[in-house]
């Protein structure tokens, strides 16, 4: 498909990465985004080496690193008394896994990708343009987006890539399922540098990702380049509207956290504005591709809960693998089947790791005591080795 055309639905991390990956291989990419302007939403994210190695190959890693922090370790602490339970070293990420481990604002990553896409002659970005449907031509040789509320006849494309997120309309038009609410709510906030001062070192080290574990509750904190900290709390809750403007009261959040250190409760209160986000998953055996011309990637295909910190990484892997496979093949139908065949086992394993993390962080009683003993007995080297399959994975080697 090198030299051919690709329509990409959605200008999030998955869609923009796909545009860059296709353009790098000689395909012309057009990104359709329904919002009138591309808003960089969300709080923070973690980028593990399986993702950063791909960003390096797309030529954007240096700029990403300028807006990120490279933590030296991931630490798990008991939320009740703050004692450390385990520490996974990350300072050796480039030596062990071939690329850095970074934490940053989601908006900064999206901004870097957007700037690179706008500067690429092989990419066109159309904002304020909602794709209402994707129509195959009679021979199945191309696909044409229908533009909502418009008489415009969009051009035909060789391939359509749906990167329209966890609530993907494209997935449902293909007969796929609606997303499923997991029963967990993510409360997200950015603690600014001024407010972070009293909590530094003990609760908020400037060079670590810290998870505070407690029965039915965990809080993840990590530093941002300007001295602020990204905070995420995961607790059980009710489903709610699906947008970033759900504001939660600190008292409401503190009430869900029992038996945690007073200092942690004070951190929750001092932080100020928290945004509530219902965690949805997409688990389905429904196909990700249709007629050899339409394919889902990222959360549109396989949204997973954030407990393995792999949502952005899986979207980046999807985008690069898809571009690699389709630009090397003249048979898109078989290519899309191969893409799905390669990605499903990987996503299942990542989802299982996330479920394990959620269980391990929120377990209580005797099982928590066993967890603590096991973690204490394992060295940092052994803990790091547990992630070799995840962080050392090179999606382009899978394509080869």
């Amino acid at each position: 498909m090198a030299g051919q055309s690709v329509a990409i639905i959605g200008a999030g991390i998955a869609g923009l990465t796909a545009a860059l990956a296709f353009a790098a291989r000689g395909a012309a990419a057009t990104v359709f985004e329904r919002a009138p302007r591309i808003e960089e939403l969300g709080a923070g994210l973690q980028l593990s080496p399986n993702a950063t190695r791909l960003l390096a190959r797309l030529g954007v890693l240096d700029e990403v690193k300028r807006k990120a922090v490279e933590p030296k370790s991931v630490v798990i602490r008991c939320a009740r008394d703050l004692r450390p339970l385990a520490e996974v070293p990350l300072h050796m990420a480039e030596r062990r896994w071939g690329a850095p481990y970074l934490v940053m604002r989601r908006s900064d990553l999206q901004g870097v990708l957007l700037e690179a896409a706008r500067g690429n002659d092989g990419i066109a970005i159309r904002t304020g343009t909602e794709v209402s449907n994707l129509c195959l031509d009679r021979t199945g040789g191309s696909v044409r987006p229908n533009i909502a509320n418009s008489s415009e006849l969009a051009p035909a494309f060789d391939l359509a890539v749906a990167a329209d997120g966890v609530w993907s309309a494209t997935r449902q038009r293909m007969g796929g399922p609606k997303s499923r609410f997991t029963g967990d709510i993510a409360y997200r906030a950015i603690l600014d540098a001024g407010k972070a001062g009293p909590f530094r070192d003990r609760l908020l080290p400037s060079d670590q990702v810290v998870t505070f574990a407690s029965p039915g509750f965990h809080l993840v904190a990590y530093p941002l380049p300007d001295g602020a900290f990204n905070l995420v709390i995961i607790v059980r809750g009710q489903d709610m509207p699906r947008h970033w403007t759900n504001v939660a009261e600190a008292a409401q959040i503190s009430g869900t956290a029992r038996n945690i250190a007073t200092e942690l409760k004070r951190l929750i209160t001092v932080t100020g504005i928290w945004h509530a986000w219902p965690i949805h998953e997409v688990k389905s055996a429904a196909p990700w591709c249709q007629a050899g011309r339409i394919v889902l990637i990222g959360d549109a295909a396989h949204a997973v809960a954030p407990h393995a910190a792999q949502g952005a990484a899986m979207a980046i892997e999807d985008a690069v693998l898809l571009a690699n496979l389709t630009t090397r093949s003249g048979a898109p139908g078989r290519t899309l089947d191969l893409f799905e065949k390669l990605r499903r086992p990987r996503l299942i394993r990542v989802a299982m790791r996330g479920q394990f993390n959620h269980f391990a962080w929120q377990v209580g009683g005797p099982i928590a005591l066993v967890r603590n003993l096991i973690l204490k007995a394992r060295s940092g080297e052994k803990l790091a080795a547990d992630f070799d399959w995840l962080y050392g994975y090179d999606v382009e080697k899978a394509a080869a």
Side-chain angles (χ1 to χ4, degrees):
M1 278 189 59
Q4 298 186 41
S5 58
V6 182
I8 299 170
I9 317 305
I13 290 170
L16 292 172
T17 304
L20 292 170
F22 275 102
R25 290 163 175 80
T30 300
V31 181
F32 295 89
E33 170 56 49
R34 67 178 181 177
R37 64 180 185 275
I38 298 175
E39 295 182 315
E40 298 153 359
L41 298 173
L45 54 73
Q46 302 179 54
L47 283 176
S48 48
N50 49 306
T52 56
R53 73 164 47 85
L54 303 178
L55 296 178
R57 291 171 188 166
L58 292 174
V60 298
L61 182 59
D62 287 345
E63 185 61 27
V64 168
K65 289 178 73 173
R66 280 191 278 272
K67 299 176 181 291
V69 172
E70 195 167 347
K72 73 174 186 181
S73 63
V74 172
V75 177
I76 302 172
R77 291 183 177 271
C78 174
R80 181 172 54 83
D81 56 19
L82 306 182
R83 74 185 187 278
L85 302 176
E87 183 170 0
V88 181
L90 296 175
H91 60 84
M92 30 47 79
E94 294 204 47
R95 173 176 53 82
R96 183 176 193 114
W97 298 306
Y101 193 110
L102 304 175
V103 292
M104 65 189 305
R105 283 179 168 83
R106 177 178 293 272
S107 59
D108 285 340
L109 174 60
Q110 189 176 2
V112 170
L113 297 173
L114 179 60
E115 192 65 25
R118 284 174 170 161
N120 191 310
D121 292 339
I123 300 172
I125 299 176
R126 296 187 53 180
T127 56
T129 308
E130 181 179 356
V131 174
S132 61
N133 201 2
L134 293 167
C135 299
L136 295 162
D137 75 358
R138 292 180 180 179
T139 66
S142 65
V143 58
R144 187 186 301 273
N146 284 346
I147 308 302
N149 303 315
S150 173
S151 59
E152 173 191 358
L153 183 65
F157 293 84
D158 298 297
L159 178 68
V161 179
D164 49 346
V166 62
W167 298 297
S168 169
T170 309
R171 179 182 67 244
Q172 294 181 51
R173 285 195 294 267
M174 290 171 57
K178 293 183 178 180
S179 62
R180 182 187 69 86
F181 176 53
T182 64
D184 283 328
I185 299 293
Y187 293 102
R188 304 177 185 271
I190 299 290
L191 179 67
D192 65 46
K195 292 181 179 178
F199 304 98
R200 290 186 184 277
D201 300 327
R202 180 165 163 80
L203 257 64
L204 301 176
S206 61
D207 56 359
Q208 292 177 336
V209 177
V210 184
T211 297
F212 299 92
S214 178
F217 163 98
H218 70 270
L219 185 155
V220 181
Y222 50 82
L224 299 169
D226 59 359
F229 284 81
N230 185 77
L231 305 177
V232 183
I233 293 172
I234 306 292
V235 292
R236 302 297 287 175
Q238 300 295 317
D239 202 358
M240 61 180 63
R242 303 157 189 175
H243 48 69
W244 287 105
T245 56
N246 293 325
V247 177
E249 296 292 335
Q252 172 191 349
I253 302 170
S254 296
T256 66
R258 299 177 177 85
N259 299 318
I260 69 171
T262 301
E263 201 171 354
L264 263 185
K265 286 192 174 183
R266 189 163 64 251
L267 172 65
I268 293 170
T269 302
V270 166
T271 296
I273 298 175
W274 291 83
H275 293 276
W277 184 254
I279 298 176
H280 279 238
E281 293 180 327
V282 177
K283 293 182 178 180
S284 173
W288 298 348
C289 51
Q290 185 178 78
R293 297 288 173 181
I294 302 171
V295 61
L296 304 168
I297 67 169
D299 284 353
H302 49 63
V304 296
H307 313 310
Q310 285 293 302
M314 291 301 102
I316 291 167
E317 284 188 6
D318 278 0
V320 171
L321 177 63
L322 180 66
N324 190 311
L325 292 175
T326 54
T327 54
R328 292 193 306 170
S329 170
R334 289 198 300 272
T335 295
L336 298 189
D337 289 341
L338 177 58
F339 167 78
E340 186 171 337
K341 183 178 180 180
L342 287 170
R343 292 304 289 160
R344 276 194 185 272
R346 172 78 167 162
L347 267 297
I348 289 170
R349 191 173 183 187
V350 168
M352 290 176 64
R353 178 69 201 202
Q355 291 168 0
F356 172 80
N357 287 350
H358 184 274
F359 171 79
W361 294 336
Q362 297 205 0
V363 74
I367 300 177
L369 295 176
V370 173
R371 172 201 66 192
N372 296 349
L373 289 172
I374 292 173
L375 289 174
K376 187 176 181 180
R378 292 177 65 78
S379 67
E381 176 71 19
K382 288 183 178 179
L383 290 170
D386 289 342
F387 293 92
D388 286 347
W389 69 272
L390 181 56
Y391 300 161
Y393 181 83
D394 188 331
V395 74
E396 291 191 306
K397 288 184 179 178

